[in-house]
Amino acid sequence: MEIVLLMGILLLLGLAAFLLWKIHMLKQDIYGFTKNLDMALNIMLNGEKLESRPYSEDDLWGMIYERLRELSNMYTHKNKEISEEKELLKELVSDISHQTKTPIANVKLYLEMMGEDKENIPEYMKKLNLQVDKLDFLLQSMVKISRLETGTIKIQKQKLPIARTLAESIAAVVPKADKKKIQIFVECEENLAVEHDKKWTGEALFNILDNAVKYTQAEGRVYISVCRQEIFTRISIKDTGKGIAAERQGAVFNRFYREPEIHDSEGIGIGLYLARKIITMQNGYIELESQAGQGSTFKIYLPNMD
């Protein structure tokens, strides 16, 4: 009887010891889990990215860590997007401020001159209208840029004959070309269908054509050809204008870039920037081939979807 009682006591003591050990281990696990969680959260709060670590699939912390890592990646990506948007907004505000200074100063000047020289008011009114038109064009262009860059406008592609889009863009530059007696030659299959956003692709084509007419001398020529290739459909716009020096070709697509020798002519230098942005958003690209004094060729590539 005493032996049974003793064994029972020993068993209870062993069970108590096991329970104490189990409680101790549980406390250690909880402490370790809390410490790891605190460390991971601090890394995330500091804006750093959680690194991938090999944890057991059956381990609770391993599973929680993987979920935190996914959250960290999402958080880092969103922060990067917000930072890029802030920088973009900062650049846009700076650009608007810089570009509007001259026309606003001119408007003020002409208003002062109108007050002092009433005999020439009609002439000053013409100059005022020109400056107001320039401001209006600038602001509309900046709105287009900001809407495209921030994703407010979504590209909506449809499979349509590219000739229709091209014809509308050509029609918009014909009056300016006629004034300079510039001939425009077009080679394009009437039913050649390309998946593209008609409105924005038309805007891109117009900007390139407008540049071609603007910087081509009187009685010059502009050649347009469309060719379907294996992967892309290529639209080539070639002019007989002044051409672009090799060292400047990398800068012509920059926002507000203008060639040094044509600063007195109309324009603000965002047409080619917008054109490349629009084509890139359709998974296409633009190439430039040019030599100073020998004209330029812009090649627009739009992907074939079939």
Side-chain angles (χ1 to χ4, degrees), residues 134-145:
K134 184 175 181 179
L135 275 171
D136 181 55
F137 176 74
L138 171 63
L139 293 174
Q140 286 187 37
S141 299
M142 294 303 294
V143 168
K144 288 177 186 176
I145 291 173

Side-chain angles (χ1 to χ4, degrees), residues 162 166 187-188 192 194 205 224-237 285 287 289 297-304:
I162 193 66
L166 189 56
E187 185 181 341
C188 177
L192 176 58
V194 180
L205 292 171
I224 305 166
S225 63
V226 182
C227 173
R228 183 181 174 88
Q229 300 176 326
E230 186 176 352
I231 300 175
F232 292 92
T233 293
R234 184 189 68 205
I235 306 168
S236 296
I237 300 174
Y285 63 98
E287 286 183 345
E289 294 177 359
T297 302
F298 288 86
K299 296 178 180 179
I300 301 102
Y301 294 87
L302 291 169
N304 301 324

Side-chain angles (χ1 to χ4, degrees), residues 148-149 155 157 200-201 204 208 232 253 272-287 299-303:
L148 281 169
E149 290 185 341
I155 294 294
K157 296 195 288 185
W200 288 106
T201 304
I208 294 173
F232 292 92
F253 293 102
L272 294 180
Y273 173 84
L274 269 175
R276 185 172 68 171
K277 183 72 178 176
I278 290 165
I279 299 303
T280 301
M281 289 179 73
Q282 297 181 81
N283 300 317
Y285 63 98
I286 301 178
E287 286 183 345
K299 296 178 180 179
I300 301 102
Y301 294 87
L302 291 169

Side-chain angles (χ1 to χ4, degrees), residues 42-259:
N42 281 334
I43 290 173
M44 292 173 66
L45 288 171
N46 288 332
E48 299 173 14
K49 191 175 179 181
L50 289 178
E51 299 297 330
S52 179
R53 295 180 184 176
Y55 286 102
S56 169
E57 292 182 3
D58 297 328
D59 181 73
L60 176 62
W61 171 240
M63 291 187 288
I64 294 293
Y65 185 85
E66 283 305 307
R67 299 299 291 173
L68 285 173
R69 195 168 68 84
E70 291 175 13
L71 185 62
S72 172
N73 290 340
M74 187 187 305
Y75 181 74
T76 303
H77 181 69
K78 285 293 181 184
N79 273 351
K80 185 179 179 182
E81 284 185 348
I82 292 170
S83 178
E84 288 175 352
E85 286 180 4
K86 284 182 177 178
E87 191 61 32
L88 176 62
L89 182 60
K90 183 179 176 181
E91 288 178 8
L92 285 172
V93 171
S94 175
D95 286 340
I96 290 172
S97 174
H98 177 72
Q99 294 297 321
T100 56
K101 278 181 180 177
T102 301
I104 288 174
N106 287 340
V107 167
K108 289 180 178 178
L109 176 63
Y110 293 139
L111 286 172
E112 288 178 9
M113 293 173 73
M114 285 170 66
E116 297 172 359
D117 184 7
K118 299 189 183 301
E119 292 182 4
N120 293 314
I121 284 180
E123 185 64 29
Y124 295 137
M125 285 298 296
K126 289 180 182 178
K127 292 180 179 180
L128 272 173
N129 283 330
L130 287 174
Q131 296 302 317
V132 171
D133 287 344
K134 184 175 181 179
L135 275 171
D136 181 55
F137 176 74
L138 171 63
L139 293 174
Q140 286 187 37
S141 299
M142 294 303 294
V143 168
K144 288 177 186 176
I145 291 173
S146 63
R147 292 173 73 189
L148 281 169
E149 290 185 341
T150 57
T152 306
I153 292 176
K154 301 295 182 183
I155 294 294
Q156 298 178 343
K157 296 195 288 185
Q158 290 181 294
K159 194 166 186 179
L160 300 168
I162 193 66
R164 295 182 195 172
T165 306
L166 189 56
E168 291 181 10
S169 299
I170 294 171
V173 299
V174 163
K176 191 179 291 186
D178 286 345
K179 283 184 180 179
K180 298 176 70 175
K181 297 181 180 180
I182 292 173
Q183 293 179 287
I184 300 176
F185 300 89
V186 185
E187 185 181 341
C188 177
E189 292 180 24
E190 188 176 348
N191 296 318
L192 176 58
V194 180
E195 191 146 337
H196 65 288
D197 185 301
K198 188 174 185 295
K199 175 186 174 182
W200 288 106
T201 304
E203 172 93 16
L205 292 171
F206 167 77
N207 288 342
I208 294 173
L209 286 167
D210 187 57
N211 260 36
V213 171
K214 188 184 298 181
Y215 302 129
T216 295
Q217 296 83 357
E219 300 184 1
R221 292 177 176 84
V222 175
Y223 300 92
I224 305 166
S225 63
V226 182
C227 173
R228 183 181 174 88
Q229 300 176 326
E230 186 176 352
I231 300 175
F232 292 92
T233 293
R234 184 189 68 205
I235 306 168
S236 296
I237 300 174
K238 180 181 180 181
D239 63 58
T240 58
K242 70 177 195 63
I244 304 167
E247 64 272 16
R248 299 177 189 164
Q249 290 178 22
V252 296
F253 293 102
N254 292 344
R255 189 164 56 201
F256 297 116
Y257 174 81
R258 304 193 70 206
E259 290 279 89

